[in-house]
Amino acid sequence: MSFEETFEEYINHYTAHKEKEVKLKVIKDAIKAHYNNQEERLLKVNGVVARLKTKKEYRVKEDIYEYLEDYGYLPLVVSVNKGLEKQFNLSSARTNHKSSVRLYTGGKAIVDTEVIASKYSYFQSYDLEKLSDEFKRSFTEEKLAKASLEEVKEHLKEEMPSNSISTDYGTLKLTETYDFDMNAVFDRVSKNKEAFIKMLEQNVYEILIFPEETRILMSGNDFLGEQTVEVLYNKPNIKAESLFVKKRAFNQYKKDGYVLSHFEIDIDPFEFFKTCKVSKTKINDLIQQGIIPEKDIEPFLEVVSETEFIEVLNEGSVEQQSNLHHQKLIERSQKYRSNTEEHYVVDNSLPSSTDIKIDIEDFNF
């Protein structure tokens, strides 16, 4: 199938999914109208749940890191700094990695959602019993239509002649999204450092540390990680290539008299995570999911806005959400506890007569 044919199929599936999506929204709005006519905060009927939720936007305070560490939440709510991703190869730490295609229409609608919604306006007159049945049916239909759309998008992605292409509906682009397992990021950052070492004169060495590209002078008795510079210089890495330096530059370093070696630096996990920015979105998500008790974390947050909304979903989805998120919390917290037991705060003053040291601040996280 050609790209043009696949793209036409994509538009057809997009339109079909949008219709199912709008229909489901109309049914949800009808259920919400019934919810607003009662006093309770929770409405249940035939396995369908409507509940009032509050979304808050926060500004975090500086002392929040200690609270997050104490309860094992810290790796769950921090984000990778842009500089860190540039300096380190963090591909193995990526999670929820997805590539897809997206159509940028410049604000032009492919389908008229108002026309679709008007087709289903009769749902507003349904009672809760009939609405709950329609919701469950429509919920399944929307999921199936979305799955079909995603399948076509996969085919379209493979047929794309380039990363971006103009169409009659707008610009179609390949997209990539991912998050990071911050425990895996810590493991990657605290290990696998490389040093290009060159002896300038007796017991004086020039060191180029990668991926940070830090250049320092050290004596042979100074330590890089757990070994001295002299030991690393005399026992270079046997690998024929570098993890961080491209082949041409690597060969030039060798020609200039450098030898490649590698070492590890122990970093206290808490000190590392403190260099990462706390994500307000991640904190809000964990509060909404009930993982972080709002009353416990409130002293470390400043609420800047609040928005109430009514959520409508299948009763089974509520339990599944809770179980899934709590399982993720347990696994990541256990990983963090393991790190904190295995890594200790290092004394950055290295045993050197020149008092040269490798400090966490030398590395631009």
Side-chain angles (χ1 to χ4, degrees), residues 206-223:
E206 181 181 43
I207 318 293
L208 304 177
I209 298 175
F210 287 87
E212 295 81 9
E213 298 188 48
T214 303
R215 182 187 298 264
I216 52 179
L217 295 179
M218 304 182 76
S219 74
N221 297 325
D222 292 327
F223 279 77

Side-chain angles (χ1 to χ4, degrees), residues 287-302:
I287 291 174
Q288 293 297 321
Q289 295 158 13
I291 293 175
I292 296 181
E294 186 174 10
K295 61 181 180 60
D296 292 345
I297 199 174
E298 272 185 345
F300 308 98
L301 301 172
E302 179 184 348

